[in-house]
Amino acid sequence: MLRVREGQLSELTELFERYHVPLYNFFLRLTLDKAVSEDLTQNLFYRVLRYRQSFEPGSGSFRSWVYRMARNVHADHLRQEQRVPGGVEEGLERVTDTDVPYSEEQFERLDKAMAKLTPDQREILVLSRYQGLKYDEISKIKDISVPAIKVQVFRALRQLRHLYFKQ
């Protein structure tokens, strides 16, 4: 990213190759819409290019910087649409592993429960559980303390558990 910041724009290709799939999945888990997630991913990398001068390596990693920007792209999308994402899109792609002891029905129930969470709850679970970000990285992305992140994750998991078993 430092080379991109200095004007070597061809280096953005490597960043795109490394991060576009996880960021697409981040958007997909938040929006539950493949086409919108593709658009948001594209918009995000446009913003990375446009705002490359705002990257400060001393204030965190590229990963936390790009996810902070991804949150802003998603928030802008929600404001523009004036709606909260609702239903689960048919055919949501899922990697299946024959060793996983969960049925497709259980995954569908999880998706439905995730869709019923508030956008903030869904976002914190996507960042921590699906994207595998550490609490200190999420803390930098959301600009709140690590203990506050832990509380948010705990509450979101509790709500998800409630919604999952209520079905």
Side-chain angles (χ1 to χ4, degrees), residues 29-60:
R29 288 282 174 195
L30 293 178
T31 65
L32 306 171
D33 186 312
K34 293 176 187 177
V36 169
S37 298
E38 290 171 358
D39 290 345
L40 293 177
T41 304
Q42 185 175 10
N43 290 345
L44 172 62
F45 278 95
Y46 170 75
R47 283 192 188 183
V48 166
L49 183 61
R50 185 173 177 197
Y51 298 110
R52 66 186 180 272
Q53 297 301 323
S54 70
F55 175 70
E56 292 294 331
S59 63

Side-chain angles (χ1 to χ4, degrees), residues 27 91 121 153 166:
F27 288 129
Q121 290 173 326
V153 169
K166 185 178 171 184

Side-chain angles (χ1 to χ4, degrees), residues 2 5 53-66 68 136-137 139-141 143:
L2 292 175
R5 186 175 167 212
Q53 297 301 323
S54 70
F55 175 70
E56 292 294 331
S59 63
S61 68
F62 172 75
R63 184 167 132 163
S64 60
W65 181 77
V66 79
R68 189 175 322 116
D136 63 328
E137 290 178 299
S139 161
K140 290 175 184 166
I141 292 167
D143 197 28

